[in-house]
Amino acid sequence: MSQCEKVQLTPGALPGIAPAESHEIRMLRKTEVSFRRLFINHPEPMWVYDLKTLHCLEVNDAAVEHYGYSRDEFLRMLLTDLYPLEDVPGLFQDVARTRAGAQHSGEWRHLHKDGRFIDVDVIYHGLAFGGREVKMVVVRDITKQRQAEQALRQAERKYRLMFEEAIVGMYQSTPDGRLLSANPAMARMFGFDSPAELIACFPDTQSQAYVDPTRREEFEHLLREKGVVKHFELQVQRKDGSKVWLWTNAQVIHEGNTIVRYEGTFEDITDRKLLEDQLLQAQQNYRDIVENAVVGMFQSTPKGRYLSVNPAMASMLGYDSPQDLVASITDITQQVYVDSKSREEFQRIAREQGVATNFECQAYRKDGSKMWLCANVRAIFKNGDLVRYEGMNEDVTQRKLLEDQLRQAQKMEAVGQLAGGIAHDFNNTLGVIIGYSDLLQMKLPVGDPSHRHAMQITKAGRRAGALIRQLLAFSRKQVIQPVVLNLNSATREFEKMMPHLIGEDIEITFKRSPGLGPVKMDPGQVEQMLMNLAVNARDAMPQGGRLCIETANIELDETYARQNVHVTPGPYVMLSVSDTGCGMDRETQLHIFEPFFTTKKAGKGTGLGLSTVYGIVKQNAGHIRIYSALGEGTTFKLYLPRIGDAATLSLPPQALETILLGTETVLIVEDEEPLRLLARLCLESNGYSVLDAPNAAAALELAEKHDGRLDLLLTDVVMPGMSGRELAKRLTEQREVKVLYMSGYNNDLSDHHGILDRDTVLLEKPFTVNSLLSKVYEVLHTGQAGKTIAASGV
């Protein structure tokens, strides 16, 4: 039967049609039962679908088993359900051609129930069934075939790449010296642009390539005698006439007893040959090696005087010349070693073991600053007596700084993991506390003592929420919503609240650089940084003083980047906060960004303020430096990447002056029952119709049964079973509904930098009654449902 030959099936061939009772019909039924059994038991997947509606009418056992759907699921499906979305237009075109009478078959991708793609070869047969025009589809799975073809192509490409991209030359040649093939590396060795050019220009390698033809003869003799030659060195001429040394490994290829070709590799050993020549003159060049070494080299007496040092050693310790260092240092133990016991330990190891390797210690430079050295030293004995030490010192200060930063990052990561683990449940609890205390305040008279008690509960809840946000901020796990902004404008907003925050005994000065470039960051983070730095400065000036906040455009160059790890050179905007307070010693400065480190008395600080600043700066690809000394005040300089001046500044969102009563229907999905009931109570008391569900499955069921409009989905992000994100996706596919997420720790809503998705609208937990009503009204009435909106939780 041809692929598209139509066959008229009588009723009874498929389920649902009552058979006739005549002998002929019974015989036909018997035949049809046989054909049906053949259809059902056919080893390849088959199904029949209506050409007009694309509904599946019948399916065999092989299709059910192969695609993972049950028979009932198949019979409820459309043909399009088996195709990836992007392939559906092509399917419709095929169906249209079929309706026009064109034959068709071909290869497609089908979807398994578990989401896997299946490559298939499909054959269509036209049938007439019950007065309808249908198609019977026969499928052959060619997935493994495609995989095998792909594997073969990859293997061929792999070995071709090995030949084409090898860093050693590879070749085949005839016994009489004619090149049969060569790879690009060999062409480059001989100075040619391509293997084809090399083969064309060197028809006889014996007479043209070898500088010494006798070496070719020796090479061939060894090949014929042994069949294999290894590490054979020869000198050849390149295209431009220059000479290079090569190292070849080759073998003979026989056909029967006849040598048909040589195969081998070439490696350029010119540099090695030159080095061998240089090593012959090593004694003469010894002084140059020492003088030009990038690590410090020295010889010293056991009593602690330098006999000789190289320039790198002198530069490392801050001296102008080796002679200056040798003359200045009369006691290495006291003048170089920060801890004299370190040198005693190093001497003991060297005396007992003969060498001291990778010995790390701190040393003083000429200007009194400290650095870290890694020493590799051996003890030189003569007639059993120790006569001197000689060795090398390497400056590992940068590595030590990196190790300190790694330890800092690990501490922050550990606390961040803790904060992330408790943030969801803790913010839910705080939301209930704050929400119900808000409701109490609304119902109690302002002068009533209970009203003041409720206010204190709200304030405590907000402080706890702020603490959680700080934990997430310094560990760089808070969700941020960056916009293009100008720090001059941002500091003006903060300036308004400064007198209330700092106090009257501190003089506040702002120095804003004109023409300040824009940065991209979360406006709330700017306020967080300024707040923490200003409070830190206030606490450092208990008797009053001066606080200066300054902005400027800054260029950090390569030199600065080399001196400060993890700094990328380029344009930055500097935000500086300086005070005239008590200052900090060096030891304190080493720990100020560590979580929970504080110099304040117990109960006076959390130790998270500067950690939060550090986390925010790092989250925004910035850099922070501190300049301080005891009794001389402190300056924090924050460097944030400056973006192009053409970037459009983002306008701050307009706050709603009043919250009007709502009339829409809101579906609340929250697994924390007290918080869900609180949100319902707040919305219903403000005029909204509310449906609520404890999880996504219940919400979908509720939405399906609800006949009226559903205007807004207010859903938690993290819930057992299905997440809020998946719930929103499924619900918006079914009906037109706006979505407002609520969460306090939103990895599910952000990328790996903690930045919210472009179309996400968020109500942060813990939220107040006002923030809940404001956000719901904003999403429903201001057309903001498709934009990222920052919502303050407390």
Side-chain angles (χ1 to χ4, degrees), residues 474-518:
F474 87 79
S475 58
R476 285 175 272 173
K477 293 184 180 294
Q478 71 175 149
V479 175
I480 60 174
Q481 301 159 86
V483 298
V484 178
L485 54 82
N486 184 288
L487 288 183
N488 283 346
S489 302
T491 55
R492 284 193 179 91
E493 292 297 319
F494 183 71
E495 186 176 4
K496 299 175 183 177
M497 69 175 72
M498 285 288 284
H500 306 287
L501 178 69
I502 301 302
E504 297 179 354
D505 57 345
I506 296 177
E507 179 186 341
I508 304 170
T509 305
F510 283 83
K511 296 181 180 179
R512 298 182 178 90
S513 174
L516 191 70

Side-chain angles (χ1 to χ4, degrees), residues 237-417:
Q237 292 184 358
R238 303 177 82 245
K239 178 182 178 181
D240 60 5
S242 61
K243 299 174 183 178
V244 293
W245 279 95
L246 300 180
W247 187 0
T248 185
N249 294 287
Q251 64 177 351
V252 173
I253 304 301
H254 292 86
E255 286 186 4
N257 295 325
T258 304
I259 297 176
V260 293
R261 66 179 181 276
Y262 302 144
E263 290 183 351
T265 60
F266 278 127
E267 184 178 350
D268 190 339
I269 60 168
T270 305
D271 291 341
R272 197 201 75 190
K273 296 292 286 186
L274 291 175
L275 180 60
E276 288 175 352
D277 293 340
Q278 291 172 357
L279 289 176
L280 295 176
Q281 303 174 11
Q283 190 63 39
Q284 298 176 11
N285 296 336
Y286 171 75
R287 178 54 54 189
D288 289 339
I289 295 173
V290 173
E291 293 294 323
N292 298 323
V294 295
V295 295
M297 295 184 173
F298 68 92
Q299 292 180 322
S300 66
T301 68
K303 293 185 178 181
R305 286 200 66 120
Y306 284 115
L307 298 172
S308 65
V309 298
N310 70 341
M313 179 80 170
S315 176
M316 191 181 298
L317 294 177
Y319 291 86
D320 296 332
S321 66
Q323 295 76 17
D324 182 22
L325 187 152
V326 171
S328 301
I329 303 297
T330 58
D331 186 347
I332 297 174
T333 302
Q334 298 300 322
Q335 292 177 271
V336 176
Y337 281 77
V338 173
D339 181 2
S340 60
K341 293 183 179 179
S342 294
R343 186 164 195 266
E344 294 172 4
E345 177 66 11
F346 140 70
Q347 288 178 309
R348 183 190 65 78
I349 295 173
R351 284 195 305 268
E352 293 177 359
Q353 302 181 12
V355 295
T357 58
N358 299 325
F359 187 88
E360 295 184 354
C361 59
Q362 265 191 306
Y364 289 114
R365 302 181 83 249
K366 184 179 181 180
D367 61 5
S369 61
K370 299 176 184 178
M371 65 179 298
W372 280 94
L373 294 177
C374 179
N376 289 278
V377 183
R378 65 171 181 155
I380 306 299
F381 293 90
K382 188 174 183 180
N383 299 325
D385 297 325
L386 178 65
V387 293
R388 68 178 183 275
Y389 298 112
E390 59 185 29
M392 296 181 296
N393 283 330
E394 182 182 359
D395 184 350
V396 294
T397 306
Q398 286 292 332
R399 194 196 76 198
K400 284 289 189 179
L401 290 174
L402 285 172
E403 289 174 352
D404 290 342
Q405 288 196 358
L406 176 60
R407 284 191 288 272
Q408 166 77 354
Q410 288 172 335
K411 291 178 183 178
M412 296 177 73
E413 179 65 21
V415 180
Q417 292 293 339

Side-chain angles (χ1 to χ4, degrees), residues 66-70 73 82 110-116 118:
H66 199 74
Y67 285 82
Y69 296 97
S70 68
E73 287 175 329
L82 287 172
H110 282 173
L111 284 171
H112 191 275
K113 184 177 180 179
D114 62 12
R116 288 183 291 113
I118 304 173

Side-chain angles (χ1 to χ4, degrees), residues 411-429:
K411 291 178 183 178
M412 296 177 73
E413 179 65 21
V415 180
Q417 292 293 339
L418 173 63
I422 68 172
H424 178 263
D425 292 337
F426 195 58
N427 279 324
N428 281 346
T429 303

